[in-house]
Amino acid sequence: QVQLVESGGGLVQAGGSLRLSCAASGRTFSGYTMGWFRQTPGKEREFVAVIRWIGGFTSYADSMKGRSTISRDNAKNTVYLQMNSLKPEDTAVYYCAVHRSGSFYDSRNYDFWGRGTQVTVSS
C-alpha cells in the first residue's frame, strides 16, 4: 500500500507559478512511474504529466507543454510539478497517482491516488 499526499496548491493570478508536491509513504517509492492528473467539477480526471523512474522519461499534456516540469526526488519519496504561466483554465484539483500498467494517459491505469490539492488561477 502506498499513501500519497499532495500539497502546494493555492490561489494565484494568471501568469503566476506554483510548485506542487506529492509525498509518498508506505512502500518503496523509487520503482514507480508517477503521474499528475487534474479534475474540475463534472468532468473526468485529465492527464497532466507523468515521469518514469527508469530513464527519466517524462510526458506532458499538450495544454501543459512548455509551461510545466515534472520531476522526482526518490530519496525524499516526492514527485513535483512546477507550473508556470498559469491560466484560469488550469484551475482544478490536482492529484498524483502511481501508475499500474497500460497507457500513462488513462487515469484508470493508476492506483493509490492522493486526496488532491486545489489550484485556483484568477484572471
Side-chain angles (χ1 to χ4, degrees), residues 16-92:
S17 299
L18 284 174
R19 187 194 196 203
L20 307 184
S21 299
C22 171
S25 62
R27 290 178 66 177
T28 301
F29 171 75
S30 62
Y32 294 124
T33 293
M34 301 295 296
W36 283 97
F37 287 76
R38 65 187 183 186
Q39 188 171 25
T40 54
K43 294 187 177 181
E44 293 186 356
R45 287 184 184 178
E46 174 189 22
F47 170 79
V48 175
V50 64
I51 184 166
R52 291 192 67 181
W53 175 61
I54 299 174
F57 167 83
T58 59
S59 183
Y60 301 89
D62 288 343
S63 61
M64 300 302 289
K65 284 180 181 177
R67 300 192 296 123
S68 62
T69 302
I70 187 171
S71 61
R72 66 192 297 162
D73 185 334
N74 288 335
K76 295 182 178 180
N77 288 346
T78 302
V79 176
Y80 304 98
L81 182 67
Q82 175 70 42
M83 301 188 294
N84 304 317
S85 302
L86 284 163
K87 306 174 183 179
E89 50 264 43
D90 295 320
T91 296

Side-chain angles (χ1 to χ4, degrees), residues 99-113:
H99 179 256
R100 179 181 67 253
S101 62
S103 170
F104 293 142
Y105 310 107
D106 189 339
S107 63
R108 295 171 296 181
N109 295 330
Y110 286 76
D111 293 324
F112 305 122
W113 294 83

